[in-house]
Amino acid sequence: MKNTLRIAFMGTPDFAVASLEALLENGYPVVVVVTAPDRPAGRGRTLKASPVKECAEKYGIPVLQPERLKDPEFVGQLEALDVNLQVVVAFRMLPEVVWAQPAFGTFNLHASLLPDFRGAAPIHWAVVNGETETGVTTFFIDAEIDTGQIILQEKTPIRPDETTGELYERLMQMGARLVLETVRMIEAGPVKTRTQKHLQTPKKAPKLTNENTQLDWDTPTQKVHDKIRGLCPFPGAWTHFENNGTVERVKIFRSTTDDLNDEAPSGSIVKRENRLLARTADGWLEVLEMQLPGKRRMPVKDILNGLEIQKSARFL
């Protein structure tokens, strides 16, 4: 006999929308959507709804937007809706009073092959670390972050020059399929799970900060290249750019390795016609797309049309 489901879907960004739509388009009863409160956005600072809220309203699904997930009023609203399964995709950490409530549990979609890359930015860090494979995982939430019993996993290769933005799109669709398959398993019941492996040194996916998104030109070429593509398109790898007696903060979005064999200190810059090459610890990198302060992201060949590069120019 199939379980009769009443689902609460919890998520905020567009990554979660694909999973929500997969459930709705396959007839699953999502009785409520929980998402972040509307936030000011744009130059006018007008309130903007999350992508998940916009999707829910399109389908006519009630939306809850609690500031505090432990709020008794919010917890009571979930209880009153008789929710028996919660599906979480790209949302906040849930308190036990919420995740432990449904009869069939609360499961999360995580964009990595757990137990590796637990944390806030798993897609970014898989690319930054130069991984050749990643994937998506569904697991039942427990008291610790990203440690619960694994339900399903699906793997995919990471292409050598793939950016986080490109991988994000693929994992979003993979994740939606895995969420749908996971709900079907729970509906059919019972669900077989497996315990996550204990790793002595698991790969981590911490929140992206100003400190861990800065480029270090004293590292090998491949490491610099991987960090650039791992932080593209958001938030962008950044570095200081010294030229014409000024030092500015710039972002680099695209690069490729180069076989130039000139010796120079790390961070040195060489202009070759409409190309910009930068020295790393063990070689050279060609910078393909960059963003100067107050400007939009542009191909370097276009930037060089209006920018004079001094011989002493360098990345710091």
Side-chain angles (χ1 to χ4, degrees), residues 59-122:
Y59 285 90
I61 300 170
V63 176
L64 298 178
Q65 298 176 271
E67 287 283 357
R68 292 177 55 254
L69 295 175
K70 289 183 178 180
D71 188 329
E73 181 181 356
F74 166 64
V75 175
Q77 288 171 320
L78 288 179
E79 290 175 344
L81 288 165
D82 198 24
V83 168
N84 57 19
L85 175 65
Q86 290 173 162
V87 179
V88 182
V89 182
F91 195 56
R92 291 176 280 171
M93 183 177 178
L94 299 181
E96 185 171 357
V97 69
V98 174
W99 63 256
Q101 185 182 112
F104 299 124
T106 299
F107 79 83
N108 184 69
L109 171 70
H110 190 74
S112 81
L113 298 174
L114 291 173
D116 277 327
F117 298 110
R118 292 172 177 155

Side-chain angles (χ1 to χ4, degrees), residues 122-162:
I123 305 177
H124 292 83
W125 286 107
V127 180
V128 169
N129 281 24
E131 301 295 322
T132 58
E133 183 180 67
T134 187
V136 286
T137 304
T138 54
F139 66 95
F140 283 116
I141 290 177
D142 62 14
E144 302 297 324
I145 298 176
D146 300 334
T147 60
Q149 292 285 311
I150 290 175
I151 307 167
L152 292 172
Q153 283 188 324
E154 184 177 344
K155 298 179 180 180
T156 187
I158 302 175
R159 297 187 291 269
D161 289 315
E162 190 166 27

Side-chain angles (χ1 to χ4, degrees), residues 271-290:
K271 181 183 175 184
R272 291 284 191 271
E273 297 180 350
N274 63 351
R275 302 170 66 220
L276 191 66
L277 306 176
R279 176 73 184 182
T280 66
D282 65 354
W284 291 84
L285 193 77
E286 181 177 358
V287 179
L288 300 177
E289 290 187 30
M290 192 164 71

